[in-house]
Amino acid sequence: MRVMSENPDYTSTQTTEPRMLSGADMLVEVLRKEQVEVVFGYPGGAVLPLYDALYECGIRHVLARHEQGAIHAAEGYARVTGKPGVVIATSGPGATNLVTGLADAMLDSLPIVAITGQVAKSVIGSDAFQETSIIGISTPITKHNYQIQHASELPGVFKEAFHIANTGRKGPVLVDIPKDVAGEVAPFVYNAPPQLPGYQPTVIPHVMQIKKVLQHIELSHRPVILAGAGVLHAGASRELRLFAERFGIPVVHTLLGLGGFPADHPLFLGMGGMHGSAAANTALYETDLLLNFGARFDDRLTGNLADFAPTATVVHVDIDPAEIGKNVPTDIPVVGDAREAISLLLATEAKSPEISGWREKLLDIKAHTPFWYVQEGNVIKPQRLIEQIAQHTNGEAIVVTDVGQHQMWAAQFYPFVHANRWVTSGGLGTMGFGLPAAIGAQIAEPNRQVVAVVGDAGFQMTLEELAVVAELELPVKIVIVNNGALGMVRQWQELFYEERYSSSLMKWQPDYLKLAEAYGIPSLQIRDDGALPECLSAFLAAPGPGLLECLVAPMENVYPMIAPGHGLHQMVGVKP
Amino acid sequence: MNRVISVSVNNKAGVLNRITALFMRKGFNIQNLTVGVTETPGLSRITIVMNETDDAALEQVIKQLYKQIDVLKVTDLTQQPMVARELALIQVNSPVAQRSVITTIIEPFRASVIDVGRDTITVEATGKAEKIDALIALLRPYGIKELARTGLTALARDVAMVTEARRVSEGNVISI
Ligand SMILES: Cc1ncc(C[n+]2csc(CCOP(=O)(O)OP(=O)(O)O)c2C)c(N)n1
C-alpha cells in the first residue's frame, strides 16, 4: 500500500509551508532568488556565519584585497551590467572601508547592495570589538539602509533592499546584519512584493508635460540635447538616437553619459563642461531650448550657473524629482524614466524645427576645434596614447579609468560608440576607483576587452587588487599613464597657484614592473612615441592580464578648460 | 518667513535621525521639531518649524524629505489654515504671599498650576506660541526658575484642501 506522503498530490501542501532557515542560509537563498551571480567581499568575525553559508553554495565570491576594492568592483560590475553589484564586509573596519565606495555609488546612482556584519545584538552600543555604527555613518551616503533585528525580517529587508537599489534613481542600499541574527532560525518567505508606500518612483511622465516639450521643440531655433547617465540607467540609448535623428537636434553628453549616444554620429557634439568640447559648450551656452535627459546639472558640467544656458527654456527629464530645479531653474519639468519620456516624445506627432543653420554652425565648430595636442619629439603624449588605445581596440573596449588628467583625456579621445562601456567615477571623483572597477567590469563581461587607464598616483591607492587580477587571471589590461605627478593637482597649481607644486610631484615611485612581477602579471614599460603602436598592439592582443607603464610628457595639461567660477563661454585652450 | 512642515513617517528606529541628518546636510535650520504617534498605527507625525526659508529652499526641503523611503507625506502648513499649539511648563518663584497674584495672572491664559512647592509653583500652559510668549513675559518679573517648551505641533484645519507637495503651479506639474 502506498504511503500517503509519497503521493505528490498530498505532499504538495507541505511544500507550501515556509522553510525554516538560519539567517545565514536565508542570505544565500536571497542571493539566489535575486539571481546574483557574483558577490565581492572580504570576511571577518562578524560575517563568518554568512561566509560559512556562502561556502560551496554555488554563488561566486570574489575575494578583494581591501573592502574599498570590493565595492568599487561591485560598482564596475553594476555599471557594465545594469544589475545591482553585491558586496559583503565585516563589521567595524570592514564596514568603514566601504564608505568611499558607498559615497561614490550614491553620487553616480549605481545600484549596490552592501551587506555588513555587525556585532551581536546583545553588545551593540557597548563599543564591542569591531563595532561601529555603520547605519549612522552610512545614512547620508546610501539611498537607504537597514539593521536587521531578527532573522524573520531578513527576507523582507532584502526584498526591499534590492528593489530600492535598482529602481527609481538607483543607488546603494546597506543592510547591517548582527552576528547572532545569522544564527537565528525563522521561516523563509520571499515572494511578497515590498510594501513601500513612501517609495513610489514616477516612471511614466505626465502627458501634458510631454506635449509642452513638443510645442517648444517645434518653435525652437537653437535646441540641444544634454544627455546624462540617466539615459544609460534607463537603457534609453536607442530612443535617444531615434529622437535626435527624428528632430535633427544635436547631442551633448555629460562625462558619465558617454556612450549613450554614439560618438561617431554626425549629430554628436562631444562632452560638455569643464574639459568639454568647444562645440558642446557653445551649444549649451547659446541654446534656446535645452533638453536635459537624465543629467543632474553637476557644477563640473555647468560652470558658473549664471552663464549656463542663459537664454534657454530648460526641459529637465529626471526620474528623481528632487533633481529638478535643484541647480538650474526648470521651465518644463518631466518626472519619469528617460526611456519612457523619450518614447512618449517619439510617439507624438510634431514638426521638426527648422534649425539647419544652428546645426551647421555647431558642426562647423566641431570640425574646426577638435580636441588637440601637440606632438613634441619622441615623447609620448597622453592624448595620443588614448587615441592609440582606441585604434587598437576599434573603439570596442570597456574603458575604465581612475581619476585625474588621464580620466579627462580618456573621455575626450576615446570614441564611445556603445552604451555601458565607459566606467569612471564622476560625482565623487574617487582616486583608486580604476583598477578594482575594471575587475568588476571584466567579471561582468569576461569576453570583452577591458582596459583600465590609471594615473600613477591613483593606481597606488588600490594596487593591492592586482592580486585579484592575477588570481582570477582576468585579462584586464592596465595602462599606467605615468607623468610622475598628481597630474590634475599639478595642473591646477600651475594655472592657479603660480606653479607652486605643493606635494604634487612624486619624487619617488615604485618600480611598477617589479610590482607586476611580484603579482605574476606580465608587464612592460614604454617611453618612446615611435614604439607606441607596435607595443600597444602586442600588449592588447596578449592573452591574460597585463600592465603597461607609459612614461608620458610630464607637464601636459588638459585643455580646453573652463576655470573655476567661469562660464561655458569662457573656455581657454580651445586651440593649440 | 517661518514655515511649518508636517511630515508623516514610518515609526521606525532611526527615522528621526535620517530626517534631521538631511536638514543638517542641506544646511537648513530647524527652529523647533515635535514628534509623536498618529491615529494610524505605525505612523508618526513630525512637525518642523523652519525659520527664514525662501520658496526654492522650501521646495528642496520637501523634495528631499520625499526621497526618504520612510516618509509618506509632506505638507507645508504655512500657507493654509492650521491649528498649531505648543505646551509650556513654567516653574515660577511664588512665596505664599504672592501665590494668589500669580493665579490671577495665569487665569486668562487658561493655564493651570500643576505643582506646588514651598517657594515655587509650576504652571502648565497650552496655546499658540504668541500666547505662551505673553504669559512668560508676565511671569518673568516674579522670577522664572525653570522653563520647558515643547515647540509647535500642528494639523491642517478640516476645511482646508491639503496641498501636499504635489504642487500644481503655473501649469507646471511636478509629480512627486
Ligand atoms: C581619493 C582622492 N584623493 C585626492 C583626490 C584629488 N585629486 C584629483 S586628481 C588627483 C591627481 C591624480 O593623479 P594621478 O592618479 O597620477 O592621475 P593624473 O592626474 O596624473 O592623470 C588628485 C590628488 C581625489 N580625486 N581622490
Side-chain angles (χ1 to χ4, degrees):
Chain A
M1 204 182 101
R2 256 166 31 152
V3 187
M4 254 170 61
S5 65
E6 281 178 356
N7 185 328
D9 290 340
Y10 290 92
T11 52
S12 64
T13 54
Q14 286 174 353
T15 53
T16 59
E17 288 272 306
R19 267 191 299 161
M20 298 298 285
L21 289 181
S22 73
D25 288 333
M26 283 185 184
L27 177 67
V28 170
E29 271 317 290
V30 163
L31 297 176
R32 283 211 184 103
K33 299 253 188 231
E34 294 292 336
Q35 290 165 10
V36 172
E37 302 159 336
V38 55
V39 179
F40 303 88
Y42 208 96
V47 283
L48 282 182
L50 303 181
Y51 270 83
D52 192 59
L54 284 171
Y55 189 61
E56 295 182 334
C57 76
I59 295 167
R60 184 170 182 197
H61 179 273
V62 173
L63 175 68
R65 296 311 193 257
H66 186 299
E67 288 86 353
Q68 186 184 357
I71 189 163
H72 290 330
E75 289 183 272
Y77 177 89
R79 179 59 285 175
V80 166
T81 58
K83 292 192 275 188
V86 180
V87 56
I88 303 189
T90 192
S91 68
T96 56
N97 276 348
L98 294 179
V99 165
T100 304
L102 290 171
D104 192 88
M106 185 72 175
L107 278 183
D108 288 351
S109 309
L110 292 175
I112 295 291
V113 174
I115 301 157
T116 50
Q118 184 53 276
V119 298
K121 278 180 292 183
S122 53
V123 293
I124 288 180
S126 70
D127 298 327
F129 178 64
Q130 293 193 328
E131 182 192 358
T132 58
S133 169
I134 193 61
I135 293 297
I137 293 170
S138 67
T139 293
I141 49 170
T142 48
K143 187 171 172 187
H144 199 52
N145 59 18
Y146 297 87
Q147 187 172 66
I148 295 181
Q149 297 301 326
H150 189 272
S152 59
E153 300 164 15
L154 193 145
V157 163
F158 271 98
K159 188 97 203 171
E160 289 182 12
F162 275 92
H163 176 68
I164 292 170
N166 205 31
T167 52
R169 177 173 183 173
K170 300 178 183 193
V173 177
L174 181 138
V175 183
D176 198 36
I177 308 179
K179 187 169 184 179
D180 47 344
V181 168
E184 285 169 6
V185 174
F188 180 78
V189 189
Y190 201 75
N191 37 25
Q195 294 290 318
L196 293 166
Y199 177 70
Q200 302 290 335
T202 307
V203 176
I204 312 284
H206 202 285
V207 198
M208 280 297 292
Q209 300 305 93
I210 296 291
K211 286 213 177 102
K212 246 188 229 170
V213 176
L214 288 163
Q215 284 162 6
H216 276 83
I217 291 175
E218 287 184 348
L219 295 173
S220 66
H221 304 288
R222 303 182 305 280
V224 65
I225 296 165
L226 171 67
V231 166
L232 298 168
H233 290 299
S237 298
R238 191 178 146 268
E239 288 75 9
L240 173 65
R241 189 171 48 75
L242 293 175
F243 175 79
E245 286 171 353
R246 152 97 183 269
F247 293 101
I249 303 175
V251 179
V252 170
H253 258 314
T254 65
L255 171 73
L256 283 175
L258 292 174
F261 190 76
D264 55 1
H265 196 285
L267 285 171
F268 187 55
L269 299 179
M271 171 176 79
M274 180 174 273
H275 295 295
S277 73
N281 286 342
T282 306
L284 292 177
Y285 183 67
E286 293 184 5
T287 177
D288 68 346
L289 179 65
L290 178 63
L291 301 162
N292 174 350
F293 296 143
R296 62 185 178 87
F297 289 131
D298 176 75
D299 54 273
R300 280 289 189 274
L301 172 91
T302 61
N304 189 344
L305 280 170
D307 291 318
F308 181 75
T311 54
T313 298
V314 175
V315 173
H316 191 165
V317 179
D318 208 302
I319 189 101
D320 177 1
E323 281 307 325
I324 292 174
K326 188 183 77 177
N327 298 334
V328 171
T330 300
D331 302 289
I332 309 177
V334 182
V335 176
D337 172 89
R339 183 151 62 129
E340 299 292 344
I342 305 175
S343 300
L344 284 176
L345 288 169
L346 279 168
T348 329
E349 276 177 27
K351 285 199 297 289
S352 296
E354 181 33 64
I355 55 166
S356 52
W358 163 246
R359 207 165 36 231
E360 270 156 34
K361 170 186 163 155
L362 294 173
L363 295 177
D364 190 58
I365 299 176
K366 178 184 169 187
H368 288 97
T369 51
F371 292 119
W372 59 270
Y373 59 92
V374 180
Q375 191 57 47
E376 289 159 317
N378 204 18
V379 65
I380 298 177
K381 287 287 174 125
Q383 301 91 331
R384 180 164 137 87
L385 170 63
I386 304 290
E387 270 181 356
Q388 286 284 314
I389 293 173
Q391 240 178 49
H392 287 97
T393 55
N394 282 325
E396 295 284 318
I398 293 172
V399 177
V400 186
T401 75
D402 212 80
V403 167
Q405 291 181 311
H406 65 278
Q407 175 189 30
M408 292 300 125
W409 286 317
Q412 291 178 335
F413 287 88
Y414 198 96
F416 292 95
V417 284
H418 305 286
N420 304 337
R421 298 209 189 149
W422 166 238
V423 183
T424 200
S425 164
L428 198 66
T430 306
M431 282 172 72
F433 174 87
L435 175 60
I439 290 171
Q442 186 75 79
I443 286 172
E445 291 256 21
N447 298 322
R448 189 167 298 289
Q449 177 120 57
V450 173
V451 182
V453 179
V454 299
D456 41 346
F459 176 64
Q460 292 187 58
M461 286 199 177
T462 48
L463 65 78
E464 75 286 343
E465 303 304 329
L466 283 175
V468 180
V469 175
E471 183 177 79
L472 303 181
E473 296 176 45
L474 298 173
V476 173
K477 298 292 188 286
I478 303 157
V479 179
I480 303 177
V481 184
N482 190 348
N483 52 11
L486 283 54
M488 191 57 100
V489 170
R490 191 207 58 71
Q491 172 168 345
W492 279 53
Q493 289 172 336
E494 178 186 329
L495 300 177
F496 311 120
Y497 294 89
E498 293 159 345
E499 300 180 27
R500 288 156 57 85
Y501 296 124
S502 180
S503 295
S504 62
L505 304 180
M506 274 194 291
K507 298 191 189 91
W508 183 91
Q509 295 213 30
D511 184 328
Y512 295 107
L513 303 191
K514 283 203 182 131
L515 249 170
E517 193 190 330
Y519 283 97
I521 294 174
S523 64
L524 70 163
Q525 188 194 58
I526 177 165
R527 61 173 73 223
D528 290 341
D529 179 68
L532 193 55
E534 205 177 322
C535 165
L536 263 182
S537 91
F539 171 71
L540 293 169
L547 182 147
L548 174 68
E549 182 192 9
C550 281
L551 303 175
V552 300
M555 301 301 278
E556 195 68 13
N557 286 340
V558 184
Y559 286 118
M561 178 171 193
I562 298 166
H566 288 66
L568 291 176
H569 59 310
Q570 291 165 319
M571 305 185 75
V572 296
V574 172
K575 285 186 171 182
Chain B
M1 175 177 40
N2 281 357
R3 305 282 191 161
V4 182
I5 306 166
S6 176
V7 190
S8 301
V9 298
N10 288 325
N11 183 355
K12 279 196 201 155
V15 172
L16 189 59
N17 177 41
R18 270 176 220 286
I19 304 285
T20 50
L22 188 151
F23 276 75
M24 179 184 76
R25 182 164 109 76
K26 296 275 171 181
F28 298 132
N29 192 18
I30 295 178
Q31 201 178 67
N32 75 56
L33 181 151
T34 57
V35 56
V37 295
T38 66
E39 74 289 354
T40 317
L43 286 196
S44 290
R45 180 184 306 282
I46 305 179
T47 309
I48 301 171
V49 180
M50 298 174 65
N51 38 2
E52 295 303 314
T53 312
D54 60 37
D55 286 344
L58 182 75
E59 185 167 323
Q60 263 302 303
V61 170
I62 292 175
K63 284 174 166 178
Q64 294 295 334
L65 284 169
Y66 260 112
K67 277 182 81 164
Q68 298 296 320
I69 310 285
D70 285 314
V71 168
L72 283 101
K73 188 167 154 187
V74 186
T75 315
D76 174 19
L77 292 175
T78 322
Q79 308 280 27
Q80 52 176 298
M82 63 167 162
V83 279
R85 290 292 180 269
E86 184 175 0
L87 166 73
L89 298 177
I90 312 158
Q91 195 182 64
V92 52
N93 272 333
S94 148
V96 180
Q98 274 180 9
R99 225 157 259 189
S100 61
V101 187
I102 291 177
T103 19
T104 331
I105 290 173
I106 66 171
E107 203 182 335
F109 290 86
R110 284 193 231 148
S112 49
V113 175
I114 54 165
D115 185 49
V116 181
R118 200 165 57 96
D119 299 318
T120 65
I121 56 169
T122 302
V123 174
E124 175 199 305
T126 325
K128 290 189 182 154
E130 307 87 75
K131 170 177 145 183
I132 298 200
D133 291 341
L135 177 61
I136 291 169
L138 283 174
L139 291 176
R140 184 149 280 140
Y142 297 90
I144 291 175
K145 295 200 72 178
E146 275 194 288
L147 172 69
R149 295 177 72 153
T150 57
L152 194 84
T153 190
L155 283 181
R157 280 190 190 277
D158 193 12
V159 290
M161 255 198 0
V162 177
T163 356
E164 299 170 35
R166 177 183 298 279
R167 334 160 89 247
V168 184
S169 64
E170 295 151 28
N172 287 345
V173 182
I174 304 182
S175 26
I176 296 187

